[in-house]
Amino acid sequence: MGRWVAVVVASVLAVALSASPVQARHLSVTDAGRDTWRTGLDITGVQIGNNDQAVVAQVRLANAVRGRVIVSVEARRGSGLRLLHLHRPGRRDRTAVMRGPLMLLPQSACPRASGTWHARTRSVTLRLPSRCLDAGQYGAVRISVLTERPRGADVDAAPQKSNRQPTVTRWIRRR
């Protein structure tokens, strides 16, 4: 009887452990409201999907003021990129993808990347086509999200440690 129980427990553990990567293709991160370093775009949550066609991040915000949302995407065995979305209430928003140091909004390293502001939900959806990151030859990614004032002063980050230090998500497997 003891041997049979051990086999059942081992089988259940094997199924549970093999199922966890399937769940890791999408990830949600919450961030406390009113935890910003300065006034500006306050992150309240992020949902990330790592699909065959694109890496998609939806960033929810507590407010809809002028500022930048920056989503840094890092491939496990490759390079990284930053999606920049400049939200300008009353004017057209701009989205770009860049490599290297932060600047205002440089020429996009991926012209097919997109950003869509949703006024009703105070969120922005950023989409990075898979071919823009290591020519589509990547697997797992991890991300970090930062908001800035229009002139570049950091406002909020997600995920972040308890001491307000920005960090990155766990690895998100590709579907």
Side-chain angles (χ1 to χ4, degrees):
M1 180 84 167
R3 185 180 253 174
W4 183 80
V5 171
V7 170
V8 169
V9 169
S11 299
V12 169
L13 282 174
V15 170
L17 291 175
S18 67
S20 63
V22 173
Q23 296 169 349
R25 293 179 182 144
H26 290 80
L27 180 67
S28 293
V29 174
T30 57
D31 187 60
R34 298 183 179 158
D35 67 336
T36 60
W37 304 307
R38 296 172 181 79
T39 58
L41 292 169
D42 185 6
I43 302 168
T44 59
V46 182
Q47 292 181 333
I48 307 110
N50 186 11
N51 305 313
D52 278 341
Q53 292 78 27
V55 175
V56 179
Q58 182 177 29
V59 182
R60 292 183 315 278
L61 302 152
N63 48 12
V65 297
R66 182 181 170 99
R68 283 192 210 127
V69 176
I70 303 165
V71 176
S72 297
V73 180
E74 178 188 0
R76 186 188 302 254
R77 292 180 192 92
S79 62
L81 295 172
R82 282 189 295 275
L83 289 109
L84 287 83
H85 184 84
L86 176 59
H87 178 60
R88 304 181 298 177
R91 296 180 59 197
R92 187 170 175 244
D93 288 2
R94 294 172 49 194
T95 303
V97 176
M98 62 176 287
R99 298 177 180 89
L102 287 176
M103 295 180 252
L104 286 173
L105 279 177
Q107 177 131 3
S108 182
C110 178
R112 297 211 188 271
S114 63
T116 306
W117 181 263
H118 309 284
R120 188 175 58 80
T121 59
R122 290 185 312 269
S123 65
V124 61
T125 301
L126 298 170
R127 186 177 186 280
L128 178 69
S130 59
R131 67 175 162 239
C132 296
L133 183 61
D134 294 332
Q137 302 301 310
Y138 66 92
V141 297
R142 61 183 179 181
I143 70 141
S144 64
V145 180
L146 178 70
T147 59
E148 291 181 338
R149 288 180 162 182
R151 300 281 181 223
D154 294 351
V155 175
D156 198 7
Q160 64 181 320
K161 295 179 182 176
S162 59
N163 60 358
R164 290 187 152 184
Q165 291 296 318
T167 186
V168 295
T169 65
R170 63 180 158 80
W171 292 104
I172 307 162
R173 297 180 68 106
R174 189 172 180 185
R175 185 182 335 190

